[in-house]
Amino acid sequence: MHRQYYVDRTGYGQTKDEQAYQNGAGDSGSPDQGRKDIKPMYVLGLDGGGTKTDVLLLPYEKKGGEKQKGQEESKKQEEPLLRFLVGGINYNSFSREEIRMHVGQIRDGLTEAGYSLRGCAGVGIGAAGISNPEAGPFLEEVFQSCGFDCPIRIVGDDEAALIGGIGEGPGLLLIAGTGSVCLGQDRAGRRFRAGGFGHLIDDGGSAYAIACDMLRAIVRASDGRGPETMLKEAVFSSMGISSVQELIAFLYAKKTGKKEIAALARLLTEDMVSKDTAAREITRKAAKELAELTAAVAAGLGAGGDLTVRGDLAAGSGAGDDYPLLLEGSVLLKNRFVREALIAELKVKSIPVCVTDKKADAAYGAASMMRRTG
């Protein structure tokens, strides 16, 4: 989603607003040349996940043609001008009033740090929940009403993470945090996505799904449908409860949302997985679900097909003929057993990917996206 650009990005001139800002005019429009505290123009990158929003500023740079673009891609990741956290902007998780308040926090954070909204050359937003057709127009309206009179581009938080992590090359990004999704791009820039349809019908392998499986194992053990499990003691102790009835009361309370339930996934510890049958099965299930997401994207990109067709991999794209695969989200970054089980599952299925480190994160990707668009 794009707004019309008002800043000249051809490199052949500046708008009056840009000239006024760089000459020292504040938001009031009063010239103040020579001030040493005038901040440089910037682009704003946002990673709006399921629970919080990571805000990052990069210097705004006009593009001077293909040569400069190539030079920019070869540079190391820049240090951001400013970075801070505010509340979430996920349209499916927060009310409109909460989102307006959180965007106001972004505006206030910039102002308190000395950055004028007049100096913002563009806002790149990677937001969870953007598949909801109402989300994009609403977010754009909110940023406009908060004073961001600049280009705004909104994509999914997974796409921003892919841009930050891979850049413009081919690769896949698998995210397993509160929710789960896999996104990939091929050599030509074509993209394919699997999962990400929300916790009610999807999000296999996510923290929410793992937590639900943990709680399911507990209640099934309580009435004899399943084996006794160490999960019960861990969950009850963490919540400060002593009965399944109290657990049910928590789950169906109006104030309990997916965030509160997903937080229980952290209790699936290494010690528990090594000793408890239910915990091991939950780990294997999560790994299988995440491998299926990866396989679907690889097949969609032509990277795997029926696991015998390599598509554009014949030309080589990463380690050997494999696509680089980035892993993101609390489940994959903090739970070693799920991560190792996933990697083993990928090998068993012969999915042509190779786990690698990301170049930068989603907020950086969102900001880079705005600079690249120019």
mmCIF file of all heavy atoms in Angstrom, residues 172-199:
data_model
loop_
_atom_site.group_PDB
_atom_site.id
_atom_site.type_symbol
_atom_site.label_atom_id
_atom_site.label_comp_id
_atom_site.label_asym_id
_atom_site.label_seq_id
_atom_site.Cartn_x
_atom_site.Cartn_y
_atom_site.Cartn_z
ATOM 1 N N LEU A 172 14.255 -17.962 2.358
ATOM 2 C CA LEU A 172 13.011 -18.186 3.091
ATOM 3 C C LEU A 172 13.158 -17.680 4.518
ATOM 4 O O LEU A 172 14.260 -17.687 5.084
ATOM 5 C CB LEU A 172 12.639 -19.675 3.142
ATOM 6 C CG LEU A 172 12.253 -20.374 1.836
ATOM 7 C CD1 LEU A 172 13.498 -20.885 1.118
ATOM 8 C CD2 LEU A 172 11.297 -21.531 2.116
ATOM 9 N N LEU A 173 12.049 -17.276 5.072
ATOM 10 C CA LEU A 173 11.970 -16.849 6.463
ATOM 11 C C LEU A 173 10.859 -17.620 7.151
ATOM 12 O O LEU A 173 9.710 -17.602 6.700
ATOM 13 C CB LEU A 173 11.682 -15.347 6.550
ATOM 14 C CG LEU A 173 11.324 -14.820 7.937
ATOM 15 C CD1 LEU A 173 12.547 -14.841 8.842
ATOM 16 C CD2 LEU A 173 10.763 -13.407 7.853
ATOM 17 N N LEU A 174 11.207 -18.308 8.223
ATOM 18 C CA LEU A 174 10.227 -19.053 9.023
ATOM 19 C C LEU A 174 10.108 -18.376 10.378
ATOM 20 O O LEU A 174 11.105 -18.221 11.089
ATOM 21 C CB LEU A 174 10.671 -20.507 9.191
ATOM 22 C CG LEU A 174 9.784 -21.404 10.057
ATOM 23 C CD1 LEU A 174 8.396 -21.549 9.439
ATOM 24 C CD2 LEU A 174 10.435 -22.776 10.232
ATOM 25 N N ILE A 175 8.907 -17.956 10.727
ATOM 26 C CA ILE A 175 8.660 -17.272 11.993
ATOM 27 C C ILE A 175 7.755 -18.128 12.864
ATOM 28 O O ILE A 175 6.689 -18.573 12.420
ATOM 29 C CB ILE A 175 7.987 -15.897 11.774
ATOM 30 C CG1 ILE A 175 8.834 -15.021 10.859
ATOM 31 C CG2 ILE A 175 7.758 -15.199 13.110
ATOM 32 C CD1 ILE A 175 8.171 -13.698 10.500
ATOM 33 N N ALA A 176 8.178 -18.360 14.094
ATOM 34 C CA ALA A 176 7.338 -19.054 15.069
ATOM 35 C C ALA A 176 7.438 -18.299 16.380
ATOM 36 O O ALA A 176 8.335 -18.553 17.190
ATOM 37 C CB ALA A 176 7.772 -20.509 15.234
ATOM 38 N N GLY A 177 6.558 -17.345 16.556
ATOM 39 C CA GLY A 177 6.470 -16.589 17.790
ATOM 40 C C GLY A 177 5.092 -16.818 18.376
ATOM 41 O O GLY A 177 4.665 -17.969 18.540
ATOM 42 N N THR A 178 4.378 -15.745 18.662
ATOM 43 C CA THR A 178 2.997 -15.893 19.111
ATOM 44 C C THR A 178 2.190 -16.637 18.060
ATOM 45 O O THR A 178 1.345 -17.476 18.370
ATOM 46 C CB THR A 178 2.374 -14.507 19.374
ATOM 47 O OG1 THR A 178 3.190 -13.808 20.312
ATOM 48 C CG2 THR A 178 0.967 -14.647 19.933
ATOM 49 N N GLY A 179 2.444 -16.337 16.788
ATOM 50 C CA GLY A 179 1.851 -17.038 15.659
ATOM 51 C C GLY A 179 2.955 -17.675 14.829
ATOM 52 O O GLY A 179 4.115 -17.696 15.229
ATOM 53 N N SER A 180 2.598 -18.191 13.646
ATOM 54 C CA SER A 180 3.609 -18.791 12.775
ATOM 55 C C SER A 180 3.290 -18.518 11.321
ATOM 56 O O SER A 180 2.115 -18.457 10.926
ATOM 57 C CB SER A 180 3.716 -20.307 13.010
ATOM 58 O OG SER A 180 2.501 -20.953 12.664
ATOM 59 N N VAL A 181 4.339 -18.373 10.511
ATOM 60 C CA VAL A 181 4.180 -18.124 9.083
ATOM 61 C C VAL A 181 5.528 -18.376 8.413
ATOM 62 O O VAL A 181 6.586 -18.298 9.062
ATOM 63 C CB VAL A 181 3.719 -16.664 8.820
ATOM 64 C CG1 VAL A 181 4.828 -15.672 9.185
ATOM 65 C CG2 VAL A 181 3.277 -16.460 7.379
ATOM 66 N N CYS A 182 5.512 -18.704 7.133
ATOM 67 C CA CYS A 182 6.734 -18.831 6.355
ATOM 68 C C CYS A 182 6.575 -18.023 5.078
ATOM 69 O O CYS A 182 5.519 -18.054 4.429
ATOM 70 C CB CYS A 182 7.020 -20.296 6.018
ATOM 71 S SG CYS A 182 8.650 -20.549 5.229
ATOM 72 N N LEU A 183 7.618 -17.291 4.725
ATOM 73 C CA LEU A 183 7.616 -16.442 3.537
ATOM 74 C C LEU A 183 8.914 -16.679 2.789
ATOM 75 O O LEU A 183 9.969 -16.863 3.407
ATOM 76 C CB LEU A 183 7.501 -14.970 3.939
ATOM 77 C CG LEU A 183 7.421 -13.936 2.821
ATOM 78 C CD1 LEU A 183 6.055 -14.015 2.139
ATOM 79 C CD2 LEU A 183 7.626 -12.529 3.379
ATOM 80 N N GLY A 184 8.845 -16.671 1.463
ATOM 81 C CA GLY A 184 10.046 -16.860 0.678
ATOM 82 C C GLY A 184 10.056 -15.995 -0.561
ATOM 83 O O GLY A 184 9.014 -15.515 -1.011
ATOM 84 N N GLN A 185 11.235 -15.783 -1.108
ATOM 85 C CA GLN A 185 11.352 -15.079 -2.379
ATOM 86 C C GLN A 185 12.407 -15.780 -3.232
ATOM 87 O O GLN A 185 13.390 -16.301 -2.711
ATOM 88 C CB GLN A 185 11.714 -13.607 -2.182
ATOM 89 C CG GLN A 185 13.080 -13.333 -1.580
ATOM 90 C CD GLN A 185 13.335 -11.854 -1.341
ATOM 91 O OE1 GLN A 185 12.408 -11.057 -1.278
ATOM 92 N NE2 GLN A 185 14.593 -11.480 -1.221
ATOM 93 N N ASP A 186 12.177 -15.805 -4.554
ATOM 94 C CA ASP A 186 13.133 -16.448 -5.433
ATOM 95 C C ASP A 186 14.053 -15.409 -6.054
ATOM 96 O O ASP A 186 14.006 -14.223 -5.715
ATOM 97 C CB ASP A 186 12.415 -17.290 -6.501
ATOM 98 C CG ASP A 186 11.562 -16.448 -7.439
ATOM 99 O OD1 ASP A 186 11.678 -15.194 -7.416
ATOM 100 O OD2 ASP A 186 10.779 -17.036 -8.210
ATOM 101 N N ARG A 187 14.880 -15.851 -6.976
ATOM 102 C CA ARG A 187 15.878 -14.980 -7.581
ATOM 103 C C ARG A 187 15.242 -13.799 -8.301
ATOM 104 O O ARG A 187 15.817 -12.710 -8.366
ATOM 105 C CB ARG A 187 16.721 -15.801 -8.561
ATOM 106 C CG ARG A 187 17.908 -15.075 -9.153
ATOM 107 C CD ARG A 187 18.701 -16.031 -10.031
ATOM 108 N NE ARG A 187 19.105 -17.207 -9.276
ATOM 109 C CZ ARG A 187 20.136 -17.225 -8.448
ATOM 110 N NH1 ARG A 187 20.856 -16.132 -8.257
ATOM 111 N NH2 ARG A 187 20.457 -18.311 -7.788
ATOM 112 N N ALA A 188 14.043 -13.997 -8.848
ATOM 113 C CA ALA A 188 13.358 -12.941 -9.591
ATOM 114 C C ALA A 188 12.549 -12.022 -8.685
ATOM 115 O O ALA A 188 11.902 -11.097 -9.157
ATOM 116 C CB ALA A 188 12.450 -13.561 -10.655
ATOM 117 N N GLY A 189 12.551 -12.278 -7.391
ATOM 118 C CA GLY A 189 11.801 -11.447 -6.469
ATOM 119 C C GLY A 189 10.367 -11.891 -6.261
ATOM 120 O O GLY A 189 9.606 -11.222 -5.551
ATOM 121 N N ARG A 190 9.970 -13.010 -6.885
ATOM 122 C CA ARG A 190 8.610 -13.524 -6.669
ATOM 123 C C ARG A 190 8.501 -14.086 -5.261
ATOM 124 O O ARG A 190 9.430 -14.721 -4.772
ATOM 125 C CB ARG A 190 8.280 -14.615 -7.695
ATOM 126 C CG ARG A 190 8.208 -14.114 -9.131
ATOM 127 C CD ARG A 190 7.819 -15.256 -10.066
ATOM 128 N NE ARG A 190 8.830 -16.297 -10.063
ATOM 129 C CZ ARG A 190 9.769 -16.419 -10.993
ATOM 130 N NH1 ARG A 190 9.834 -15.538 -11.977
ATOM 131 N NH2 ARG A 190 10.649 -17.406 -10.942
ATOM 132 N N ARG A 191 7.354 -13.882 -4.647
ATOM 133 C CA ARG A 191 7.174 -14.301 -3.253
ATOM 134 C C ARG A 191 6.052 -15.311 -3.117
ATOM 135 O O ARG A 191 5.087 -15.318 -3.871
ATOM 136 C CB ARG A 191 6.888 -13.080 -2.374
ATOM 137 C CG ARG A 191 8.103 -12.159 -2.266
ATOM 138 C CD ARG A 191 8.072 -11.352 -0.980
ATOM 139 N NE ARG A 191 9.308 -10.594 -0.862
ATOM 140 C CZ ARG A 191 9.404 -9.284 -0.957
ATOM 141 N NH1 ARG A 191 8.315 -8.574 -1.161
ATOM 142 N NH2 ARG A 191 10.560 -8.678 -0.826
ATOM 143 N N PHE A 192 6.212 -16.152 -2.092
ATOM 144 C CA PHE A 192 5.184 -17.140 -1.770
ATOM 145 C C PHE A 192 5.093 -17.220 -0.254
ATOM 146 O O PHE A 192 6.094 -17.098 0.436
ATOM 147 C CB PHE A 192 5.534 -18.509 -2.355
ATOM 148 C CG PHE A 192 4.413 -19.499 -2.272
ATOM 149 C CD1 PHE A 192 3.411 -19.524 -3.231
ATOM 150 C CD2 PHE A 192 4.349 -20.407 -1.231
ATOM 151 C CE1 PHE A 192 2.373 -20.429 -3.150
ATOM 152 C CE2 PHE A 192 3.316 -21.321 -1.141
ATOM 153 C CZ PHE A 192 2.324 -21.332 -2.114
ATOM 154 N N ARG A 193 3.889 -17.440 0.245
ATOM 155 C CA ARG A 193 3.650 -17.433 1.683
ATOM 156 C C ARG A 193 2.829 -18.650 2.082
ATOM 157 O O ARG A 193 1.943 -19.092 1.343
ATOM 158 C CB ARG A 193 2.899 -16.143 2.045
ATOM 159 C CG ARG A 193 2.386 -16.058 3.474
ATOM 160 C CD ARG A 193 1.516 -14.805 3.601
ATOM 161 N NE ARG A 193 0.871 -14.721 4.894
ATOM 162 C CZ ARG A 193 1.042 -13.732 5.749
ATOM 163 N NH1 ARG A 193 1.840 -12.737 5.430
ATOM 164 N NH2 ARG A 193 0.418 -13.718 6.899
ATOM 165 N N ALA A 194 3.105 -19.206 3.245
ATOM 166 C CA ALA A 194 2.316 -20.305 3.792
ATOM 167 C C ALA A 194 2.050 -20.027 5.268
ATOM 168 O O ALA A 194 2.945 -19.596 5.994
ATOM 169 C CB ALA A 194 3.035 -21.637 3.632
ATOM 170 N N GLY A 195 0.830 -20.292 5.690
ATOM 171 C CA GLY A 195 0.455 -20.080 7.085
ATOM 172 C C GLY A 195 0.121 -18.628 7.369
ATOM 173 O O GLY A 195 -0.123 -17.824 6.468
ATOM 174 N N GLY A 196 0.093 -18.316 8.676
ATOM 175 C CA GLY A 196 -0.195 -16.956 9.088
ATOM 176 C C GLY A 196 -1.665 -16.598 9.065
ATOM 177 O O GLY A 196 -2.017 -15.415 8.970
ATOM 178 N N PHE A 197 -2.553 -17.590 9.167
ATOM 179 C CA PHE A 197 -3.985 -17.319 9.104
ATOM 180 C C PHE A 197 -4.623 -17.143 10.487
ATOM 181 O O PHE A 197 -5.844 -17.141 10.605
ATOM 182 C CB PHE A 197 -4.696 -18.438 8.340
ATOM 183 C CG PHE A 197 -4.306 -18.489 6.890
ATOM 184 C CD1 PHE A 197 -3.439 -19.468 6.424
ATOM 185 C CD2 PHE A 197 -4.771 -17.545 5.994
ATOM 186 C CE1 PHE A 197 -3.059 -19.518 5.095
ATOM 187 C CE2 PHE A 197 -4.407 -17.580 4.662
ATOM 188 C CZ PHE A 197 -3.548 -18.566 4.208
ATOM 189 N N GLY A 198 -3.799 -16.992 11.508
ATOM 190 C CA GLY A 198 -4.330 -16.675 12.820
ATOM 191 C C GLY A 198 -4.495 -17.868 13.740
ATOM 192 O O GLY A 198 -4.565 -19.022 13.310
ATOM 193 N N HIS A 199 -4.588 -17.566 15.041
ATOM 194 C CA HIS A 199 -4.573 -18.625 16.050
ATOM 195 C C HIS A 199 -5.850 -19.457 16.095
ATOM 196 O O HIS A 199 -5.843 -20.571 16.609
ATOM 197 C CB HIS A 199 -4.320 -18.019 17.431
ATOM 198 C CG HIS A 199 -5.426 -17.153 17.934
ATOM 199 N ND1 HIS A 199 -5.722 -15.925 17.386
ATOM 200 C CD2 HIS A 199 -6.324 -17.346 18.938
ATOM 201 C CE1 HIS A 199 -6.739 -15.389 18.039
ATOM 202 N NE2 HIS A 199 -7.123 -16.237 18.983
#
